[in-house]
Amino acid sequence: MPKRDFLAIPDFTAAELLALLGLAARMKSGAYRERPLAGKTLAMIFAKSSTRTRVSFEVGALQLGGHALFLSSRDIQLGRGEPIRDTARVLSRMVDGIMIRTFAHADVEELARYATVPVINGLTDLLHPCQILADLLTIIEAFGTLKGKTVAWIGDGNNMCNSWLNAAGSLGFELRVACPAEYPPDPAILERNAARTAVLVTRAPAEAALGAHVVTTDVAALMGQEGEAEQRARAFKGYLVDEALMQRANPKAIFLHCLPAHRGEEVTEAVLEGPQSRVWDEAENRLHVQKALMATLMG
Ligand code: CP
Ligand code: NVA
């Protein structure tokens, strides 16, 4: 069987995505006792900081009987200019899977092209598919299904927003994106998914949030965009998720945030810590979906 990668949500069919989420739920319930990673190693390359991604993959690999190696790109030869394609081939001779978090999505695609073991995208400037798996599981826990649900994305058309578009297109739920004109989602990803499901792009958070089942946002500047923070703060004025915005949503709506959050910038303390917030379940769900993903690709 050829190796499979997970670089983007559409790398899996809708049926495969739902099966993966079902497996994650089974793992979370404690009913799953298998150790499909026994004797196996995941190499984790990080060119950016991480708490949730690193810990979920590392703990998850251990719980599945395997092992994870933390490789900061500052410390491995990749950071001194060893080509990605060489790194891919060398690691493939020693490990059973590679997770990578970096800046350019093209670098992850190159790694996957040259690696002979599965490659997992742990976040690029373009996409953050592993986070979306956790978010989808959190929605299913809250509502029992994704069917008929509406997700409102408020803020930057960033890696999370692009991955929400992919998820909506793959799984057929409605997505509304409220973003400033200067910070839209990736045009190709938007076009592809708007052809598959109901997608609204608006400048008005109040329009996006109206009746939504999920309201979600993220920081205004990605890791690596800190230099643009001031200019972005100006553009994102009016894109704050506060209690007034949550009141426009469905009465049972939940609030999601991939974290880390900047309280008072993209979301208020009251919403983040409030009764509709599911952010801690969402963070925990990173562990369960990452385990399901490793079991599926490397088991
Ligand atoms: N949400 C997320 O990916 O968190 P980390 O940056 O801590 O991995
Ligand atoms: N979307 C943000 C946060 C992800 C953890 C980023 O890419 O920096």
Side-chain angles (χ1 to χ4, degrees):
M1 252 203 336
K3 64 117 180 183
R4 289 195 68 187
D5 304 311
F6 184 67
L7 307 192
I9 292 284
D11 288 350
F12 282 21
T13 65
E16 287 170 335
L17 289 168
L18 294 174
L20 188 146
L21 295 171
L23 177 59
R26 197 149 70 84
M27 288 173 162
K28 185 172 184 176
S29 76
Y32 182 94
R33 300 237 165 259
E34 290 157 51
R35 292 168 75 78
L37 262 59
K40 296 191 177 180
T41 301
L42 175 77
M44 308 189 296
I45 302 172
F46 282 96
K48 292 181 174 183
S49 303
S50 171
T51 299
R52 281 144 288 264
T53 304
R54 176 181 176 179
V55 176
S56 58
F57 275 106
E58 195 161 333
V59 171
L62 178 79
Q63 291 181 359
L64 295 176
H67 175 65
L69 283 178
F70 174 73
L71 304 172
S72 160
S73 63
R74 275 185 301 279
D75 301 326
I76 60 173
Q77 298 289 8
L78 183 65
R80 292 183 56 248
E82 183 168 20
I84 290 170
R85 57 188 185 278
D86 295 4
T87 305
R89 287 172 288 184
V90 171
L91 288 178
S92 294
R93 299 291 179 107
M94 303 188 195
V95 305
D96 305 281
I98 305 171
M99 197 284 310
I100 178 166
R101 165 170 288 195
T102 192
F103 296 85
H105 192 73
D107 288 350
V108 177
E109 291 177 333
E110 182 176 347
L111 185 80
R113 213 163 34 247
Y114 283 91
T116 53
V117 297
V119 172
I120 297 170
N121 176 5
L123 179 146
T124 64
D125 288 346
L126 186 70
L127 297 173
H128 194 4
C130 286
Q131 179 67 50
I132 294 296
L133 295 177
D135 295 11
L136 295 173
L137 180 59
T138 312
I139 297 173
I140 292 170
E141 287 174 341
F143 296 105
T145 179
L146 296 164
K147 269 207 187 90
K149 298 295 166 276
T150 300
V151 175
W153 173 264
I154 312 295
D156 192 7
N158 67 8
N159 46 9
M160 281 296 298
C161 179
N162 291 330
S163 292
W164 272 115
L165 281 162
N166 277 337
S170 291
L171 295 165
F173 57 85
E174 180 180 349
L175 182 70
R176 304 192 196 135
V177 175
C179 62
E182 314 91 281
Y183 297 106
D186 179 84
I189 294 175
L190 173 62
E191 191 184 342
R192 174 177 188 277
N193 293 294
R196 295 169 171 231
T197 193
V199 176
L200 169 80
V201 179
T202 171
R203 304 287 157 248
E207 186 187 3
L210 189 66
H213 300 91
V214 179
V215 178
T216 184
T217 185
D218 190 8
V219 291
L222 299 188
M223 289 181 273
Q225 297 175 336
E226 287 82 0
E228 303 170 20
E230 235 169 76
Q231 168 197 339
R232 284 174 169 269
R234 275 194 300 277
F236 288 101
K237 246 185 162 157
Y239 289 84
L240 176 74
V241 178
D242 58 11
E243 285 169 300
L245 191 70
M246 289 304 295
Q247 269 163 21
R248 290 186 62 83
N250 183 288
K252 293 204 168 125
I254 60 169
F255 172 74
L256 298 180
H257 190 308
C258 64
L259 305 177
H262 291 174
R263 289 167 166 82
E265 290 182 21
E266 72 275 4
V267 59
T268 61
E269 171 89 10
V271 170
L272 189 75
E273 300 285 2
Q276 290 170 288
S277 175
R278 292 287 184 282
V279 300
W280 314 118
D281 292 332
E282 181 187 6
E284 179 191 329
N285 285 340
R286 288 296 303 275
L287 173 64
H288 308 298
V289 298
Q290 261 55 120
K291 284 171 69 178
L293 185 59
M294 286 187 283
T296 302
L297 294 179
M298 296 167 59

